[in-house]
């Protein structure tokens, strides 16, 4: 029998705030707050999605916005993060970096600053109640003006050392070039934040290269299209820029037709660091564990290679060095133990 993947210590570096919600919690909060859910978020869940054209992306974003609308009170936020932490621990995750754009919630929680402080407090409480380190990545929206991104970068910079560890850039990469947001990322990098923009999901290898060249990315959200360029994979490997690969999200959005088409093995064999992620389990129906199961069952990873994936996720994280050392030792112990 293979070693149990839920006992393998790992870091989860690509998880969006609303997208981390349990489906059962979405249903309960919608009923509590009188929010009507479309069939795709209720009886036909998980929704059938395909976001490779603008109409498909609009539908995906619309469903996400509806899901976000059920978060009406601070108690809802605390519940979401508490349950997310419980789910992470159950899958062997020991460090979580959860991504949020405070702009999407600020109108409910008193503005950008108070919203971010609410999320940070909820993360602290969830971490204290579980065996999980939790940090926050503040993400700008690619479809909004770059000046909005600078505002968020300045806000995030004020919370370095207080729970914020990175600055991201999300939403439809076809709607905003990476270089348009270089000012925001310079602010974030000067403050000591990791640069973790999305790229190479809906667009090709050039989108990943722009994240690295124009935004000085430490990691790239998704990044799977880097596999289209051997030269780019070599650069990522040389610079140890990790790709936060979310295989079942890629299939769910139509980036890949089948799980076996996601180039996880190609990236890994090229030496590109990989941090497997779930992206938005609420919309894709799969959390972190199925991504690791795919690595073993579909991509043919041995236990030693799966352990290396876990190590790469931890090395690419913003976890303290002491935590990285501890988790690395636990991974060694997992691999040294006989298969069950």
């Amino acid at each position: 029998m293979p070693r149990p993947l839920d006992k393998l210590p790992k870091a989860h570096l690509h998880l969006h705030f609303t997208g981390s919600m349990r489906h059962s919690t979405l249903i309960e909060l919608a009923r509590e707050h009188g929010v009507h859910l479309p069939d795709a978020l209720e009886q036909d869940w998980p929704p059938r999605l395909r976001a490779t054209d603008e109409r498909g992306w609009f539908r995906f974003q619309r469903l996400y916005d509806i899901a976000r609308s059920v978060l009406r009170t601070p108690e809802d936020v605390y519940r979401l993060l508490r349950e997310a932490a419980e789910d992470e621990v159950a899958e062997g995750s020991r460090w979580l970096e959860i991504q949020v754009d405070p702009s999407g919630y600020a109108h409910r929680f008193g503005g950008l600053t108070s919203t971010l402080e609410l999320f940070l407090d909820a993360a602290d409480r969830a971490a204290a109640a579980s065996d999980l380190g939790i940090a926050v990545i503040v993400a700008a929206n690619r479809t909004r003006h770059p000046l909005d991104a600078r505002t968020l970068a300045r806000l995030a910079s004020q919370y370095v050392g207080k729970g914020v560890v990175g600055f991201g850039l999300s939403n439809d990469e076809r709607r905003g070039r990476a270089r348009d947001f270089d000012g925001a990322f310079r602010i974030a990098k000067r403050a000591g934040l990791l640069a973790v923009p999305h790229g190479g999901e809906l667009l090709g290898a050039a989108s990943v290269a722009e994240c690295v060249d124009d935004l000085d990315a430490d990691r790239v959200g998704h990044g799977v299209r880097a596999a289209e360029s051997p030269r780019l994979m070599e650069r990522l490997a040389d610079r140890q820029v990790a790709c936060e690969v979310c295989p079942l999200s890629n299939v769910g959005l139509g980036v890949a037709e089948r799980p076996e088409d996601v180039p996880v093995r190609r990236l890994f064999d090229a030496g590109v660091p990989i941090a497997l992620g779930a992206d938005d389990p609420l919309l894709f129906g799969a959390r972190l564990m199925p991504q690791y199961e795919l690595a073993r069952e579909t991509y043919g990873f041995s236990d030693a290679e799966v352990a290396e994936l876990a190590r790469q996720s931890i090395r690419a994280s913003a976890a303290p060095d002491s935590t990285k050392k501890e988790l690395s030792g636990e991974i060694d112990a997992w691999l040294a133990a006989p298969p069950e």
Side-chain angles (χ1 to χ4, degrees):
M1 293 289 291
R3 294 171 178 84
L5 292 173
D6 61 341
K7 304 300 182 185
L8 173 64
K10 55 187 77 72
H12 194 176
L13 307 182
H14 196 111
L15 183 67
H16 293 276
F17 183 77
T18 294
S20 72
M21 194 187 319
R22 291 174 181 170
H23 183 242
S24 59
T25 298
L26 172 71
I27 300 299
E28 290 177 20
L29 291 180
R31 290 172 180 167
E32 179 180 333
H33 297 309
V35 176
H36 172 73
L37 297 177
D39 290 347
L41 289 178
E42 200 160 4
Q43 60 262 37
D44 293 338
W45 181 87
R48 298 179 183 87
L49 300 167
R50 189 173 185 86
T52 50
D53 57 38
E54 288 201 12
R55 182 177 180 182
W57 183 268
F58 176 82
R59 179 170 180 264
F60 165 72
Q61 192 61 53
R62 177 62 178 157
L63 291 174
Y64 195 94
D65 291 343
I66 292 170
R68 180 172 53 205
S69 74
V70 308
L71 298 169
R72 300 291 179 93
T73 70
E75 289 71 25
D76 298 338
V77 172
Y78 288 116
R79 175 181 177 178
L80 185 152
L81 268 169
R82 182 181 68 252
E83 292 177 347
E86 292 169 354
D87 293 338
E88 290 291 315
V89 170
E91 296 187 321
S93 179
R94 298 288 299 280
W95 179 266
L96 170 65
E97 294 177 14
I98 194 161
Q99 188 161 156
V100 65
D101 175 2
S103 305
Y105 310 84
H107 67 290
R108 293 200 186 279
F109 300 120
L112 290 174
T113 299
S114 59
T115 297
L116 180 56
E117 290 183 348
L118 170 63
F119 291 149
L120 289 170
D121 187 54
D124 285 345
R125 293 192 191 187
S130 64
D131 188 21
L132 179 70
I134 305 178
V136 171
I137 293 170
V138 173
N141 187 331
R142 241 188 175 109
T143 67
R144 299 185 66 172
H145 197 280
L147 289 178
D148 292 332
R150 293 192 186 201
T151 297
L152 287 175
R154 293 188 186 98
L155 175 65
S157 298
Q158 296 174 29
Y159 291 88
V160 173
K162 302 176 184 178
V164 176
V165 297
F167 186 71
L169 182 65
S170 59
N171 212 308
D172 188 348
E173 65 191 294
R174 297 165 297 194
R175 296 281 301 279
R177 298 291 297 274
R179 66 172 63 105
D180 296 335
F181 298 89
D182 60 350
F185 277 83
R186 283 197 301 271
I187 293 169
K189 293 283 281 192
R190 281 199 300 267
L193 293 169
L194 292 177
V196 291
H198 286 46
E201 179 188 21
L202 301 174
L203 294 179
S207 176
V208 180
E210 288 179 4
C211 288
V212 175
D213 295 334
D214 297 333
L215 304 182
D216 193 20
D218 298 289
R219 303 193 308 253
V220 178
H222 297 290
V224 288
R225 304 287 291 276
E228 298 169 3
S229 169
R231 184 175 180 182
L232 177 58
M233 287 194 291
E234 183 178 355
R235 289 184 61 206
L236 295 174
D238 288 345
R239 294 180 57 166
Q240 287 295 283
V241 176
C243 290
E244 303 162 2
V245 180
C246 308
L248 292 174
S249 162
N250 292 158
V251 175
L253 290 179
V255 175
E257 289 296 327
R258 306 169 301 165
E260 50 265 44
D261 296 329
V262 181
V264 175
R265 169 59 75 178
R266 198 180 319 157
L267 291 165
F268 183 84
D269 288 347
V272 178
I274 294 171
L276 291 177
D279 201 7
D280 294 293
L282 179 61
L283 291 177
F284 303 121
R287 304 196 76 89
L288 185 59
M289 183 61 63
Q291 323 297 328
Y292 276 84
E293 291 170 348
L294 274 178
R296 172 184 274 167
E297 298 167 9
T298 300
Y299 308 130
F301 278 56
S302 66
D303 277 2
E305 290 173 322
V306 170
E308 178 58 22
L309 283 176
R311 287 193 193 95
Q312 290 178 0
S313 73
I314 291 164
R315 286 198 294 264
S317 77
D321 288 342
S322 59
T323 299
K324 291 182 178 181
K325 183 177 180 180
E326 177 186 353
L327 295 181
S328 180
E330 292 182 14
I331 292 171
D332 291 341
W334 179 86
L335 192 57
E340 293 186 355

